[in-house]
Amino acid sequence: MSQTNSSLLDEVVQWSQETCRQELKAVLPKLTSLHHKSESWDDHIRILKIITEMFLPHIGLSELEDECLSKILPKVVTMFDSMVKEILEQSGGLSSQNTELCSLLRNILQAMMQIIDALSTCVRHVGTFEEVPDLVTIRSLPACILKILRETFQHCKDSEVVYCGRLSLVADLLQGLFKEAYTLQKGLLELLDRISLDSSASEEEVSDIVTVIHSLLDICSIISNLDIALHANTWKFLIKQSLKYQSLVEEHLHHSDICNSLCDNLLTSFHNCVELAEQIKHGGLQEATQSTEYKLFQKSAKMCRFFANTLVHYIKEFKFFLAKYCSCFHQLYLQIISKFPPSLCAPALPSALSEELNAAALVPMEALLLQLLAFRPFVDVVLLPDLRLSPEHELPQCLLLVNALGQLSSQTEEVLQLWYSGSQFSEETPRLPLYQALFTSFRRCSTERQVPVLLPGLMMKGQAQIKVTPHHHICVQLCASVAALPPVYFPVLERCLADAVLQADTQTALLATDVWCFTARYGTAELCLHHVCLIAQLVKACTTECYQSFHLGLLLRRLVFLMTPSHQMELVARFPPSEVENLPVWRQVLLRALSQDARYRVVSDIIGLTQKALTDWQNGGYKLGQVHKVNVVLLALQAAVREQSSPEEQCVLSAVRIITQLWSRMSPDQLQTHPVLRSTLQLLLSISAILVKNLEHHIILQALLCVDAVVSQGCAEPQLLLAALELLSSLGTIFVPPDSQNQILPRLSSLFGVLLSDRSWLLHQHALEAFSHFAEITNHEEVISQSLCDEDTKTKVVNYLSKTVNAQGDVESRLQRLKLESAVIDQHNKRLENASNKQAADAVVDSEPCPKRARQETSAEEEYSRYIQTAESALKALQALSGPPPQWLGSRLKELQTLITNISTARHTT
């Protein structure tokens, strides 16, 4: 600095306040010019202090910006940045031995504090004016201060790294620097709070206030880990300013940055709470409310509640600018809910800490959902058809949908349509109906269902609230929703229920069945009849061994209980049991659900049809190719005799005659090579188990011989062995006469021994149950001991009978096993559905008409050859049969011989 300029400064510092006021117009331009040209930090700070302390108090508000602030503050920012940069460059060599460098850095920090102090002087001066300043009159001041604050707080935040482990050498000055910055920010926010803009504000003023908000947002990201109070107060002011000037700034704000920052701060404080709560629990500090950990937990919980409530408020006010960020809100909700029971990844916390955490995060999440419930972009995200979630978020998603379902009753028609109807047009974002989304979400929570996790049940008057399974909880909520559902949405509900019943997961189908039954019972009798007829038609369309048939059968079985007697008779008339194609319907129905007249008609028709099928098979020569027709009617016969209470009833006696006749046709030697006969055997075993008291002992022996044959040959399917266990269990109810005991009892013991040692857990469990039931009621106690020759089998049976629980793994191991099982079951269900979809697609292709082909004449020689080959094959198969031939075989062969002679004679004559 020149000698002249230095002399000016020396002279000015000697002036009184009055002299400064008088010389303001003449000297201030010179000082600002000197300030702008100053090169050294010392000159810069000296001039800045002279201006702010001696001349600033005499500058009027109207002249402050143009005459002073706009001229000096840009240079202030530049010099402050250069100081910070110098520290970053020099601090690497800092050590206690390098006193010169230590002194340099401390001087720089002191200079930074002096700059901040000068800015505080500016703020205090503006605050002394009685009139509220316009933003335009001080527009340079907020921008400069916010830049300085950002640099200061960032430097303090990075100090551990910047000073390379030598922080103690400058810690006192850094602490003072932070306090000065804290004071400066507090003064600036108080000043800005006094300022008001109205709707006539200029674009420049709006731009300035937007810049202030965004600058404060940047500062918030820096100070989040420095000072909780400063962080919270800065956010409060930021949101307050955003709402204060909402109409002016809403189109200019960086909503994405604000929302993301709020969500990140909320999650950070929430996770801090959870971690601290776990530390308190593991350290046994639950009762030590004065411990450091507990105080930190309370502070974190307070911040968590603050950010959650702030986010909800911000969404409420700026909702229509937040469409792009609904996925962020959705993920936030799922992440927080996943840390609370009953989520499998939720930590087990003491009740007091859990209650505080609930108030801090869980309660605001309910408010968040309520704010977004009517917001289409959020609904689109939540009901997205192919929503990909991590396993720990599947249950929170399901609970979100249940909560939304519970809140819809008080919403407008437009909101109901948004949730219930799904997307209606191709140009819309694809969106599932709420009911379909809920069933899909429930299906994906397979691990939680198996554990099972527990949810709060309904509050019943005079009773304590109990915990219930997810199935129970969701079923109650769904039924309550159906009860309040406007009629216009019933078609959507019916389609969703049908889809859920027809998918492969049985527990989901059972939930849909429960809701469907409630719907049918809540509705009219005519609605129930309509549903039953529709389901019966679907049952007829299913193949016997598909999962859809099983699920539809379960639903049909339950709905029939809800029908009026007259409607049951109408069902019988629409699907007559006397017609073979209707038997798949009636084998699904529990006869006790029918009125007496309907039950009598169904049983009589099934018995008559079974007898006719057996007679036709007999008249056709007991051909293997016709056995499948017998099996069809046996399935229905099994359902007809399942619930007959009296062994003297006519239908029971008729059924006994039928199966006695069939058992006489069963040959153990044919079972290995003919799967259709094994299906017949399975049905006969199940029916015989029901009618065992009416069977003759030679029939029981024949049944045991057939079972022994398939077991020894290793050709028995699991379902056949389960049917065999039904029969073995039922044999405990009869007494075998002495003349038959040597033939029946050893085979019975042998079969029990083999099946009890089976390695399949399913067959082993059923074998234990069957043997236990047999042992409890049988008069032939020798069978029990003879069945338990193997010590390992004996031990397992004794443990089962004494209800000894096998050693259980730890909770975590069981949970991991259930997760693996869920993945396997899920893959299996998908394979079933893929196979079903492929079969349906192939059926559509096959139903297309084939192109016309020219008619081809078949020569007479080809026809003769084909029929002769068929006859020859049939006779060779007859010749290959083993066992004693029936009495009628000779007469039938003579008839065939006569027919062959007649054909030969007639052909020679022509």
Side-chain angles (χ1 to χ4, degrees):
M1 180 180 294
S2 67
Q3 186 67 35
T4 304
N5 293 335
S6 179
S7 299
L8 174 62
L9 296 180
D10 291 339
E11 179 184 351
V12 167
V13 295
Q14 303 298 323
W15 290 357
S16 65
Q17 285 295 320
E18 180 59 29
T19 305
C20 291
R21 185 183 64 77
Q22 292 173 355
E23 300 295 330
L24 177 66
K25 296 293 185 181
V27 177
L28 183 61
K30 295 179 182 180
L31 292 175
T32 55
S33 177
L34 286 175
H35 180 264
H36 180 71
K37 295 176 181 178
S38 60
E39 297 295 336
S40 71
W41 294 334
D42 290 339
D43 290 344
H44 164 75
I45 294 174
R46 183 184 182 192
I47 298 169
L48 179 63
K49 292 183 69 174
I50 289 172
I51 293 173
T52 55
E53 293 177 2
M54 300 184 67
F55 289 91
L56 187 66
H58 308 295
I59 303 175
L61 186 59
S62 60
E63 301 171 338
L64 188 60
E65 173 67 19
D66 295 335
E67 298 299 327
C68 183
L69 298 181
S70 63
K71 294 185 178 347
I72 65 170
L73 293 184
K75 183 69 174 182
V76 170
V77 173
T78 303
M79 298 302 287
F80 195 89
D81 288 343
S82 68
M83 293 177 182
V84 174
K85 184 178 179 181
E86 183 68 16
I87 291 178
L88 294 177
E89 292 176 352
Q90 299 293 336
S91 58
L94 180 63
S95 68
S96 56
Q97 288 77 27
N98 193 342
T99 56
E100 183 179 346
L101 178 59
C102 182
S103 176
L104 171 64
L105 295 180
R106 289 182 65 86
N107 288 338
I108 296 174
L109 288 172
Q110 288 173 340
M112 292 167 63
M113 292 172 61
Q114 288 178 322
I115 290 176
I116 293 176
D117 182 61
L119 293 175
S120 295
T121 302
C122 294
V123 172
R124 287 194 296 271
H125 171 63
V126 176
T128 60
F129 294 108
E130 292 184 4
E131 60 181 302
V132 177
D134 292 329
L135 188 58
V136 72
T137 61
I138 57 166
R139 66 184 310 252
S140 299
L141 186 62
C144 168
I145 291 177
L146 291 170
K147 289 177 183 177
I148 298 293
L149 290 174
R150 188 188 186 288
E151 289 295 328
T152 303
F153 291 136
Q154 186 68 57
H155 186 74
C156 293
K157 182 179 182 180
D158 299 338
S159 57
E160 285 283 355
V161 176
V162 170
Y163 294 100
C164 307
R166 299 289 187 267
L167 187 61
S168 60
L169 299 177
V170 292
D172 57 329
L173 293 177
L174 281 174
Q175 188 175 9
L177 182 66
F178 181 82
K179 288 181 179 180
E180 290 288 344
Y182 189 111
T183 303
L184 175 60
Q185 176 172 312
K186 181 181 178 183
L188 175 64
L189 299 189
E190 290 174 353
L191 173 61
L192 291 174
D193 195 33
R194 294 175 56 201
I195 298 174
S196 295
L197 300 180
D198 56 26
S199 58
S200 63
S202 65
E203 291 184 9
E204 190 178 61
E205 289 177 308
V206 172
S207 176
D208 288 342
I209 203 67
V210 169
T211 301
V212 167
I213 293 172
H214 290 159
S215 298
L216 288 172
L217 182 62
D218 288 341
I219 289 174
C220 283
S221 66
I222 296 170
I223 62 176
S224 57
N225 295 324
L226 290 178
D227 188 279
I228 291 178
L230 178 63
H231 191 210
N233 290 332
T234 306
W235 264 111
K236 286 178 183 178
F237 185 81
L238 187 158
I239 298 300
K240 183 178 181 181
Q241 292 293 297
S242 300
L243 299 179
K244 182 177 180 180
Y245 304 116
Q246 181 174 353
S247 61
L248 298 175
V249 303
E250 59 186 4
E251 295 182 358
H252 306 285
L253 290 178
H254 296 164
H255 294 291
S256 61
D257 294 339
I258 294 174
C259 288
N260 287 335
S261 186
L262 280 172
C263 291
D264 290 344
N265 279 290
L266 170 55
L267 284 175
T268 300
S269 56
F270 175 71
H271 289 145
N272 286 341
C273 281
V274 175
E275 291 175 8
L276 287 166
E278 290 183 296
Q279 291 177 18
I280 292 171
K281 175 192 171 186
H282 295 318
L285 304 173
Q286 295 94 316
E287 306 301 326
T289 56
Q290 299 303 315
S291 67
T292 303
E293 290 83 356
Y294 190 81
K295 290 180 178 179
L296 284 174
F297 171 79
Q298 287 186 313
K299 287 183 178 180
S300 296
K302 187 176 181 180
M303 290 300 291
C304 180
R305 186 185 303 109
F306 166 74
F307 283 117
N309 291 333
T310 301
L311 178 63
V312 172
H313 195 187
Y314 193 84
I315 290 173
K316 178 183 178 182
E317 299 299 333
F318 296 98
K319 184 182 302 180
F320 298 106
F321 294 89
L322 306 179
K324 296 179 182 178
Y325 320 116
C326 286
S327 179
C328 175
F329 302 147
H330 180 221
Q331 288 299 315
L332 171 73
Y333 185 97
L334 299 182
Q335 288 183 65
I336 288 182
I337 298 300
S338 69
K339 295 299 181 182
F340 288 94
S343 178
L344 294 175
C345 57
L349 301 177
S351 58
L353 299 178
S354 181
E355 288 175 8
E356 287 194 51
L357 205 55
N358 284 351
L362 199 56
V363 173
M365 286 302 101
E366 299 300 317
L368 176 74
L369 179 59
L370 189 60
Q371 282 299 326
L372 295 168
L373 198 65
F375 194 34
R376 178 183 289 270
F378 179 75
V379 181
D380 287 341
V381 169
V382 172
L383 299 181
L384 196 67
D386 297 320
L387 193 61
R388 301 296 179 188
L389 299 174
S390 57
E392 63 268 19
H393 289 166
E394 293 292 2
L395 181 63
Q397 168 71 5
C398 191
L399 296 178
L400 186 160
L401 295 173
V402 172
N403 290 343
L405 188 70
Q407 294 182 10
L408 288 180
S409 58
S410 60
Q411 298 298 314
T412 64
E413 174 61 30
E414 183 180 358
V415 176
L416 295 184
Q417 185 176 7
L418 194 61
W419 283 92
Y420 284 137
S421 298
S423 51
Q424 302 292 305
F425 306 102
S426 58
E427 59 268 20
E428 286 186 84
T429 302
R431 184 176 68 252
L432 293 176
L434 176 57
Y435 290 117
Q436 184 179 350
L438 192 43
F439 284 123
T440 302
S441 182
F442 177 80
R443 172 176 172 170
R444 291 173 178 168
C445 299
S446 53
T447 305
E448 287 83 357
R449 298 189 324 241
Q450 291 182 72
V451 171
V453 299
L454 296 177
L455 291 155
L458 283 179
M459 292 288 290
M460 305 294 288
K461 187 176 182 180
Q463 299 180 14
Q465 187 179 38
I466 60 171
K467 296 289 186 177
V468 297
T469 63
H471 181 110
H472 186 147
H473 178 81
I474 295 171
C475 183
V476 170
Q477 299 298 325
L478 281 169
C479 291
S481 170
V482 170
L485 189 67
V488 68
Y489 300 113
F490 262 78
V492 179
L493 170 65
E494 290 172 328
R495 287 196 297 273
C496 295
L497 290 174
D499 286 342
V501 169
L502 293 173
Q503 52 78 60
D505 183 68
T506 299
Q507 286 191 349
T508 304
L510 182 59
L511 175 63
T513 298
D514 289 340
V515 178
W516 201 324
C517 289
F518 174 84
T519 304
R521 188 168 186 176
Y522 188 78
T524 63
E526 287 70 22
L527 177 66
C528 185
L529 172 63
H530 170 70
H531 284 174
V532 168
C533 292
L534 174 66
I535 295 160
Q537 199 63 48
L538 290 173
V539 169
K540 282 181 62 176
C542 288
T543 58
T544 305
E545 298 300 329
C546 69
Y547 65 86
Q548 293 97 331
S549 176
F550 173 71
H551 294 168
L552 289 167
L554 173 65
L555 176 60
L556 179 65
R557 198 172 306 140
R558 292 176 61 181
L559 286 179
V560 169
F561 276 95
L562 306 177
M563 299 177 74
T564 63
S566 62
H567 285 165
Q568 289 180 346
M569 290 303 295
E570 186 174 341
L571 180 66
V572 173
R574 290 195 190 186
F575 300 90
S578 57
E579 298 176 6
V580 174
E581 60 267 24
N582 292 324
L583 291 182
V585 173
W586 295 107
R587 71 166 175 259
Q588 301 287 1
V589 175
L590 295 176
L591 296 184
R592 68 174 183 270
L594 300 175
S595 64
Q596 186 173 355
D597 292 342
R599 183 164 59 248
Y600 177 78
R601 166 79 184 278
V602 171
V603 172
S604 299
D605 284 358
I606 290 176
I607 294 289
L609 193 59
T610 306
Q611 188 62 64
K612 179 179 181 303
L614 189 57
T615 302
D616 291 344
W617 187 44
Q618 180 180 356
N619 293 339
Y622 296 109
K623 294 179 181 178
L624 280 173
Q626 302 300 314
V627 173
H628 71 279
K629 295 182 179 179
V630 177
N631 290 347
V632 169
V633 294
L634 284 180
L635 276 168
L637 180 65
Q638 180 184 1
V641 302
R642 187 187 297 130
E643 300 176 58
Q644 301 304 316
S645 55
S646 171
E648 288 79 26
E649 288 188 19
Q650 185 60 43
C651 74
V652 172
L653 300 177
S654 299
V656 169
R657 286 196 297 271
I658 291 170
I659 66 165
T660 298
Q661 188 176 354
L662 284 169
W663 274 120
S664 67
R665 298 297 310 163
M666 295 300 295
S667 171
D669 298 333
Q670 294 179 305
L671 292 170
Q672 183 175 11
T673 55
H674 299 290
V676 68
L677 289 178
R678 293 200 295 274
S679 297
T680 308
L681 174 61
Q682 176 188 334
L683 292 166
L684 287 176
L685 289 170
S686 294
I687 297 173
S688 299
I690 299 169
L691 304 175
V692 66
K693 292 182 179 179
N694 299 75
L695 298 181
E696 298 181 6
H697 294 102
H698 73 277
I699 297 298
I700 295 174
L701 176 60
Q702 177 70 1
L704 294 177
L705 288 171
C706 289
V707 174
D708 188 52
V710 294
V711 170
S712 61
Q713 294 165 0
C715 62
E717 295 82 1
Q719 56 266 37
L720 193 157
L721 295 179
L722 292 176
L725 285 169
E726 290 180 39
L727 177 64
L728 298 183
S729 176
S730 69
L731 292 177
T733 61
I734 65 170
F735 177 77
V736 181
D739 58 339
S740 301
Q741 287 183 7
N742 290 337
Q743 293 178 302
I744 292 178
L745 298 186
R747 288 185 171 83
L748 183 56
S749 301
S750 173
L751 288 172
F752 265 131
V754 171
L755 295 174
L756 282 168
S757 60
D758 196 284
R759 292 188 176 183
S760 165
W761 67 267
L762 180 65
L763 288 173
H764 178 66
Q765 180 63 27
H766 279 270
L768 288 172
E769 293 175 6
F771 185 76
S772 173
H773 182 261
F774 174 88
E776 287 177 1
I777 58 178
T778 186
N779 290 316
H780 302 287
E781 294 183 358
E782 63 272 25
V783 174
I784 300 175
S785 57
Q786 291 170 8
S787 301
L788 303 178
C789 297
D790 182 77
E791 283 299 320
D792 184 48
T793 301
K794 183 177 181 180
T795 301
K796 291 178 179 177
V797 171
V798 170
N799 289 340
Y800 177 80
L801 293 176
S802 60
K803 296 181 172 57
T804 301
V805 179
N806 293 330
Q808 297 283 329
D810 60 275
V811 174
E812 186 60 32
S813 299
R814 177 175 179 265
L815 183 58
Q816 292 305 316
R817 176 175 58 80
L818 290 177
K819 288 179 178 179
L820 293 174
E821 289 176 4
S822 296
V824 172
I825 293 171
D826 184 53
Q827 290 299 319
H828 173 69
N829 288 337
K830 287 178 179 177
R831 283 195 297 270
L832 289 177
E833 289 174 338
N834 291 337
S836 178
N837 293 337
K838 184 178 184 301
Q839 185 179 1
D842 293 343
V844 171
V845 173
D846 293 341
S847 66
E848 294 293 326
C850 296
K852 283 193 172 183
R853 293 180 297 173
R855 181 178 176 181
Q856 297 179 352
E857 297 291 341
T858 304
S859 67
E861 185 177 348
E862 288 178 353
E863 289 191 18
Y864 275 108
S865 175
R866 186 168 70 252
Y867 289 131
I868 283 296
Q869 287 177 2
T870 302
E872 186 179 7
S873 299
L875 289 172
K876 286 181 178 179
L878 180 64
Q879 186 181 23
L881 292 176
S882 59
Q887 296 178 355
W888 49 264
L889 182 62
S891 61
R892 292 298 301 276
L893 288 175
K894 288 180 181 179
E895 292 176 6
L896 287 175
Q897 210 164 15
T898 302
L899 180 60
I900 293 171
T901 303
N902 291 340
I903 292 173
S904 179
T905 303
R907 296 305 174 196
H908 283 301
T909 303
T910 55

